[in-house]
Every structure is written in structure tokens, then in C-alpha cells.
Amino acid sequence: MPKVGMAPLRRKQLIEATVTTVDQLGLADSTVARIAGEAGLSTGIISHYFGDKEGLIFATMRKMLRDLHDAVASERKAAGTPAQDQLEAIVAGNFDETQINRTSSRAWLVFWAASAHQPKLARLQRVNDRRLYSNLCCQFARVLPLKDARVAARGLAAMIDGLWLRGTLSSDEFDVAGARAIAYQYLHSQLQIAG
Amino acid sequence: MPKVGMAPLRRKQLIEATVTTVDQLGLADSTVARIAGEAGLSTGIISHYFGDKEGLIFATMRKMLRDLHDAVASERKAAGTPAQDQLEAIVAGNFDETQINRTSSRAWLVFWAASAHQPKLARLQRVNDRRLYSNLCCQFARVLPLKDARVAARGLAAMIDGLWLRGTLSSDEFDVAGARAIAYQYLHSQLQIAG
Amino acid sequence: MPKVGMAPLRRKQLIEATVTTVDQLGLADSTVARIAGEAGLSTGIISHYFGDKEGLIFATMRKMLRDLHDAVASERKAAGTPAQDQLEAIVAGNFDETQINRTSSRAWLVFWAASAHQPKLARLQRVNDRRLYSNLCCQFARVLPLKDARVAARGLAAMIDGLWLRGTLSSDEFDVAGARAIAYQYLHSQLQIAG
Amino acid sequence: MPKVGMAPLRRKQLIEATVTTVDQLGLADSTVARIAGEAGLSTGIISHYFGDKEGLIFATMRKMLRDLHDAVASERKAAGTPAQDQLEAIVAGNFDETQINRTSSRAWLVFWAASAHQPKLARLQRVNDRRLYSNLCCQFARVLPLKDARVAARGLAAMIDGLWLRGTLSSDEFDVAGARAIAYQYLHSQLQIAG
DNA sequence: TATGAATGAGTGTTCATTCAT
DNA sequence: TATGAATGAACACTCATTCAT
């Protein structure tokens, strides 16, 4: 008799195996056989649950975006309501441990690059970009003129992504505290324009 | 005697075809046949001049780094000697037209991601990272205490890369002027700490 | 569950197809596509069962050595215990129908030549050479002084291989009876040294 | 002005480079580029002097046969006229230093195997086989009934080839003296049948 | 629900050959 | 006479996908 309710478990297993494999080998060398092997399952299972490899990659990137969203939401919930608190929470969420660990961040980089040539991934990535910008913009607009808020949002978004990118590509350990400090400093300098 | 002196021309042709193809199709779909076809040459020529595909990719990334270096060097030569002028020149060089055009910048992104799993590319990319940081640090150190200079350099490097990354991934045209303004503003805010 | 227990059948099919193809075309023209086609299978199956072409060639040579060993063992089992009987059985085994038919013997020649430049094949071939020599030496030593036994063994081994080689390269049908007679005559002449 | 009379020199250079390369790499890995490189010449030169690769291989095998013929002829000339002297000279010629050195003998083996699937090489090899047999037969027939002479010739030819084959494939140094002794012993045993 | 044997199109690479010089 | 740049067909091998079980 077939086991029932395996679907969510299998999907989770396969997505985690994909992140791990992509981190270790890159997207080009992440064959379905290796991903399935990493999950301790057979190759056929992937088409069973995700249609094809592209579907698995898509689901994996979507899951990572959801995790990032959750990390930010969690920080914001815990923070105070003032604009500065909320902005700091967004920064903190983006540098959350779940986001900047080696495995995740290298997978992120790979998916970003892939999104340049895969419309479906590009759509996901763009939603994410826009959300970060619009979240920042919203908060800055509470205390800055809209024009300044937009610039500040763009600058802080770039700062976050840039710190993350350089941290990921660096051979050294990601200096999270330093990165956060730099982002906060920028954030505060933008808020002081208001004062 | 056979045609002589073709080597530099052929190498240039093939490297340019690689950038074009990588921009259009991504690294995964940039087969040697397509690159050679883009260059109007045969597949065999690639191994003739670059050994194998990896050699061609490596040479292409190195050429892009050289171009970036040239763009920065050119801006710095044209700028005044004060730290602020030199720092602005470094920013300007990184947002030079040759660097932020769609073709180049998408190829850049692809190579960055690839460097995460190809040691040879990683070395090139790391040299580049370090050079940007060290150039910035050097100039900041002329007017800031070393500790502050380091933070400012890390922040500005991240800002440059972040603006570039978001501009590249965005579906809209790269707003160079806006990006430069944001970077300059950050740069100036860091210098004012000194004053 | 997928079809199971196909492995031994497929391996057998592919090895036989290899012998056939090597006989007909030589090793250089025995492409994996042709071997797979001869077996009525696809090219991918070769790497599935043998890793790569080299693995298939190795397995094929090993199988041929096993067949030769079996032919000799079978003759020796059927023969009497005296040294002369055993020696004749060894000769007979080497000229067994399974060994001197056109297909096998031409494949043998090809593998011998290939073993000169492929260490793995060389090892197989050397084990075979040594076994023939040591089997002969053992039996001769029962009735001859060791020194004479060694010479006789080397001579008879050479005679067997030489007759086989010339029979294979000849354009005429292999005259097995004649070859066996010449080998027996040499064998008897060596044994008479004892008497 | 073009150099004249280079043809014989170039042909010699290329043939020697072919023997060397075939010994070191085998026929499959002896590309025209490597052979030409070994000779210190360019690839184009081969088609210039030999038409194509096949022509070079053919010329090389023919040269080796000529060398063998010369070695035997030289020994026979130096030997007495009696049948036994002539037969011993034929054996000696076949085990001449020029024939059993590692380079030559491994090239021989390769060409033998190749002749199984290349009609042009097969013709050369067959002429050689027949010549050895017929030379032996001729001499044996001077002292033995024709029927016995034929058997003796076939046996001695096989003995010579077999000793050579096993000496070549062996990992140890070729024991020429031992090989010659075994061949002489067989030769003498055949002649004694007459007495 | 899950397997993994089997496929065959697609890839990077090699190499004999050609030919302008 | 001699070169070596250039070609493109042929090759071994990989891998996403299918499907009988």
C-alpha cells in the first residue's frame, strides 16, 4: 500500500538537497542524479514531484525567498514601530544567520546569476528586489520627503546587497557585525538629513 | 609561410564573441559551437588559441578585469590629486559606460557566480575585489584615521557593487547618474567625518 | 520498480558486441556507437555498465582470458594425470575451437597490441603469459630437471603463441590439426630428453 | 631558392619519428602533429611527402621489413653454405639487435595488429611471413623430405615469432641468448630427423 | 509512491587534412 | 620546399527525461 502524505516531506528533502548541491557544485554541475543522491532518493522522483529540473530549481529559489521574507518579517515584528526601528529590523533580517551562512548565500548568488537568463527565476528575483526597495522606501517616507526617501531606499538596498555580495565572494568568513554596522551607519546618515 | 600575426586578432574576436554569447544565453548555454559561430569561426579554433573552453572563459574574464582597471586608471589620471577627487574618479571608473552597458554587466554577473565554483575564476575575482578595496582604503587613509578609512572603504566598495548589481538585475535601464549620485553622497558623508 | 536483473545480460551483450566489432573493424574504429549498435543498445548504456569505453575494453579482455582459462582447465580435467597428458591438455586447450576461431583470435591480437600501451591491459596480459609458462613449467618439472623444465616451458609457450599468431595473421584457414601436431612433436622431443 | 634533394632526408626523418612515436604512444595516440613534432617538422610536411597519414604508416612498415630483410641477408652472407648454417643465420637475423630492441619490437607488434584491419599493411606483413617460411622451407628441403621440411619450417617460423612475441610483451629485458638457444635446439632436433 | 534501467540529443575536444603564404 | 592557421567531421561522454515495473 502506498504511503500517503509523503509529498510535503519529499518536496522539502529535494529542495534542501538542491540548495546543498548548488552550494557545493554550482548550478552547472548540479545534475538531477546528484541532487537526488544527496536527498537519498532516485532520479525519477524529481519529475514526479516537480515535473522537471527547472521546476525543482524554481521551487528552490521560491523557498529561499520565502525564508528571507520570514526572517525580515520576524525582525520587524520584534522591533518598535518608529521608522528607524523598522529600517534597522529590515537590515537585520537581511543579515540574519539563515541568510548569510555559506550554503545559502552561495546558492543565492547562483540563482541571481541564473535569473539573468531564465524568465521564471527573473520574475521571482524581481519581486524580491522590489519588495526590499518598497519596504525601505515606505519607512523612509515616514520621516523624509518622498524624493529623499526614494534615494535613501535605493542607497540602502544597494548597500545591503553590496555588503552581502562582497561577503559571499570573499574568501574570509562573513563579518556580519561589521556589515550591519556599516549599513546602520548609512541608514542613520540618511535619517539625519531629515533632522 | 602561413598567415602570420593572426593570433591577437583571433583572440580578440573570440573573447568578444564570448562576452556577447554569455550575455545573451548565459554561461550554461554558451557552447563552444555558438561562441565560435558568433565569431564567424570554427569550433576547433578555440582549442587552438585557448586550449579548451575553460581557457577561453578565463581569458575573457581577465580581459574584462583589465578593461575595468583601464577605465578606473583613466579616470584617476584625469582627476586631481586630492583624496576626494581620486575617490570620485574610482567611483566614476566603476560606472563607466564600458562597464555598465547591458552586455558587459550581465557577463560580469555570470562570471561572478561562476567564480564561486571555479578556483581560477575565483582568483581573478578576488584580485579585483581586493584592488577596489585597497584603492579606496588608500585614498580614505589620506584624510581619515586608518580605522575609519577601512570602514569607509568597505562601505563604498559595497555601495558600488550593490548599485551595480541592482542596476544589472533590474528590468529598467541602468540609471547611471542616480547611482553615481548615491555613491558620491556616501563618499562625501564619509569624508565629512574627518572635518 | 524497474526491470531488475538485467545487468548480467547487458554486460554479456556488450562484451560480445565488443569482440565482434573489434574483430571486424579493429580497436581504432570500434567506436562506442558502433559497439552499442552491434548490441542493439544505445550509447549511454556503456557508461552505465562499464563507466567508460576503457572499462568495456578491459572487461572484454578479462572475459576472453577467463574463457581461455576455462578451455584449458576443461581439457586438463578430462586428461590423465601423467605430465605428458597434462601438457598435451594445455596445448589442446590453447588450440580449442573457442580460442582459434577468427573472431576471437583477431580480437586477441588487437588486445595484445593494445596492452603494449595500456597498463591495465598489460597487467591482464602478463598474468596470462605467466600462467601459461608456470603451468607448463610445473608439469615439465615433474619429469625434467628444473633447468631443463624452464627451457622446455619457455619453448613450448613460444611455440603455442607463435603457431597461434601465424595462424591468425595468415590469410588461409587456421590449420589447427597441423599446429597441434607441431606443438605435440616439440613437447615430446622435450620429454625425451628425460628418457 | 628551394633546397633540393631534401626528399630522402625528410622521408627518413619522418619514418624514424613514426617508429619512435608509435613505440612510445601506440598507433592510436600517434597523431600527425606528434610525429611531425618528434621529427622537428610541421604537420603539413607529411602530406607533402607521404600523401596522408596512411601513406606514412605504410612507408614506415615497409622500411622496417626492409631492415629485417637486410639483417637476415647479412647473416646469411656471413654464414657457411650448409643448410644448418643458413638456417642458423636466418634465426640469428631475426634476433638481431636491430630487430629486438624495445622501440622496434613494440612498433612491430603494433603494425602486426594494425595489419589485421588494413589491407595494405596486411599485404606487407604477409609477404614477410611467406618469405620467412619459404626461406626456412628451402633450406630444410635440402636435407629433409619435402613433407618434413614443410613441418619443420612452419614450426621454426612459429618458434621464432613466438619467442619474439613473448619477449616483446614481457616486462623483463628480452633474453636474446636464451631465445636463440631454444630456437637452435628446435632447429637441430628437426635436422636430426634426417640423420 | 518510487525505482533505476535505458535512451539519445547535445557537449567539449581531438585530429587528419587543406591551403594561403 | 615548408609552414601552421583553420576547418569540420568524428569521437567519448554526460545527463534530463521516460517508463515498465
Side-chain angles (χ1 to χ4, degrees), chain D residues 55-76:
Chain D
L56 173 59
I57 298 297
F58 183 77
T60 304
M61 189 170 179
R62 195 168 49 188
K63 187 260 186 185
M64 293 181 70
L65 286 170
R66 202 162 34 229
D67 286 351
L68 173 57
H69 181 252
D70 290 351
V72 171
S74 161
E75 291 281 348
R76 293 183 65 181

Side-chain angles (χ1 to χ4, degrees), chain C residues 3 6-7 9-15 17-18 32-33 35-53 55-56:
Chain C
K3 254 181 280 189
M6 297 302 283
L9 172 60
R10 292 284 177 257
R11 296 178 84 89
K12 195 164 177 294
Q13 276 181 292
L14 287 166
I15 286 173
T18 303
V32 291
I35 293 172
E38 173 73 29
L41 297 166
S42 67
T43 62
I45 204 73
I46 285 175
S47 66
H48 192 280
Y49 281 113
F50 296 96
D52 57 9
K53 189 186 179 183
L56 173 59

Side-chain angles (χ1 to χ4, degrees), chain B residues 130-182:
Chain B
R130 298 246 166 95
R131 187 160 52 199
L132 173 56
Y133 172 76
S134 120
N135 280 344
L136 296 173
C137 206
C138 238
Q139 296 301 323
F140 274 122
R142 290 169 62 192
V143 288
L144 294 179
L146 187 56
K147 207 178 161 189
D148 292 337
R150 284 191 179 133
V151 171
R154 190 177 172 200
L156 187 53
M159 187 58 103
I160 290 169
D161 285 352
L163 286 165
W164 174 89
L165 177 64
R166 294 184 71 85
T168 298
L169 286 175
S170 157
S171 52
D172 308 328
E173 189 67 15
F174 197 142
D175 168 22
V176 193
R180 209 159 4 195
I182 290 173

Side-chain angles (χ1 to χ4, degrees), chain C residues 67-68 70-72 74-75 89-101 104-105 108 164 174 176 180:
Chain C
D67 286 351
L68 172 58
D70 291 350
V72 171
S74 162
E75 290 282 346
I90 294 171
V91 171
N94 274 278
F95 289 114
D96 187 89
E97 167 54 27
T98 63
Q99 298 306 306
I100 53 86
N101 66 77
S104 278
S105 64
W108 265 113
W164 173 89
F174 197 142
V176 193
R180 209 160 2 196

Side-chain angles (χ1 to χ4, degrees), chain C residues 11-32:
Chain C
R11 296 178 84 89
K12 195 164 177 294
Q13 276 181 292
L14 287 166
I15 286 173
E16 279 170 6
T18 303
V19 175
T20 304
T21 309
V22 163
D23 161 46
Q24 285 168 0
L25 307 175
L27 197 52
D29 292 330
S30 292
T31 66
V32 291

Side-chain angles (χ1 to χ4, degrees), chain D residues 37-107:
Chain D
E38 173 73 29
L41 298 168
S42 68
T43 62
I45 203 77
I46 285 173
S47 65
H48 193 281
Y49 281 114
F50 296 96
D52 58 8
K53 189 187 181 182
E54 196 191 327
L56 173 59
I57 298 297
F58 183 77
T60 304
M61 189 170 179
R62 195 168 49 188
K63 187 260 186 185
M64 293 181 70
L65 286 170
R66 202 162 34 229
D67 286 351
L68 173 57
H69 181 252
D70 290 351
V72 171
S74 161
E75 291 281 348
R76 293 183 65 181
K77 212 167 179 177
T81 48
Q84 177 169 336
D85 292 1
Q86 284 295 306
L87 286 164
E88 286 179 357
I90 294 172
V91 170
N94 273 279
F95 289 114
D96 186 271
E97 168 54 27
T98 64
Q99 299 306 305
I100 55 86
N101 66 75
R102 198 146 201 86
T103 298
S104 279
S105 66
R106 289 185 18 150

